[in-house]
Amino acid sequence: MILILAWNFCLFFETDWQVWLESKKRSLGGRAFDHVSDCPIVIHSTAGYIGTTDDLIRWAGQKYGMEDPRKHQAYEEVQTQLLQLASAEFAEQLRKTTNKYAMMEFSIPNIFAPSATSTHRMIFELYYEKCPKTVDNFLALCTGEKGISSTSGVRLHYSN
């Protein structure tokens, strides 16, 4: 048996995702409106709302007799191999480039559960060869190494 899945991937900022998700819930109604997970929302072209990826795996098991691939040892091995491959490729990219990198962590409140926040991390690739002074200034703001402004007395940093 061949099961063909069509995936629609949309890239959103977190706030755009929340707006899109709310509008999709309203258009689907019913169980979709109760979808509160941050997991992807799964919609079948004829069956309609299915739920999260876990719900999709259960649905495919009931409808097509498919097994959850995460139960197999090979799944963990493939996940480990993919992580190792991605790490090696990223390390190689870091070795090949003269660019520098900066990381920023930030929290976004969850509009569905105001007491909950989710922490996110962004990695910036800074093009040192094209604008070295700008990169150095940005990194100095990230680390706070420039101390305090002599004119305003304000700390020169991006941290809390």
Side-chain angles (χ1 to χ4, degrees), residues 27-93:
S27 70
L28 291 169
R31 293 183 310 135
F33 197 76
D34 295 330
H35 187 95
V36 294
S37 170
D38 280 343
C39 293
I41 187 169
V42 178
I43 304 164
H44 187 273
S45 60
T46 56
Y49 174 79
I50 292 181
T52 65
T53 48
D54 289 333
D55 298 326
L56 172 64
I57 290 170
R58 276 192 295 281
W59 177 81
Q62 293 167 352
K63 183 109 174 137
Y64 300 106
M66 297 185 70
E67 294 182 36
D68 185 343
R70 299 171 296 184
K71 292 180 180 178
H72 299 284
Q73 181 180 357
Y75 180 83
E76 289 297 322
E77 292 170 4
V78 169
Q79 291 290 89
T80 301
Q81 290 172 359
L82 289 174
L83 180 60
Q84 290 171 347
L85 179 62
S87 297
E89 287 183 9
F90 184 65
E92 180 62 24
Q93 171 67 21

Side-chain angles (χ1 to χ4, degrees), residues 102-134:
M103 183 255 320
M104 176 174 57
E105 287 185 342
F106 56 96
S107 296
I108 299 175
N110 184 330
I111 64 171
F112 301 112
S115 62
T117 60
S118 54
T119 303
H120 302 274
R121 178 178 290 173
M122 290 178 24
I123 298 175
F124 298 93
E125 183 173 6
L126 309 171
Y127 293 87
Y128 191 78
E129 284 186 8
K130 293 185 179 186
C131 46
K133 188 167 182 158
T134 303

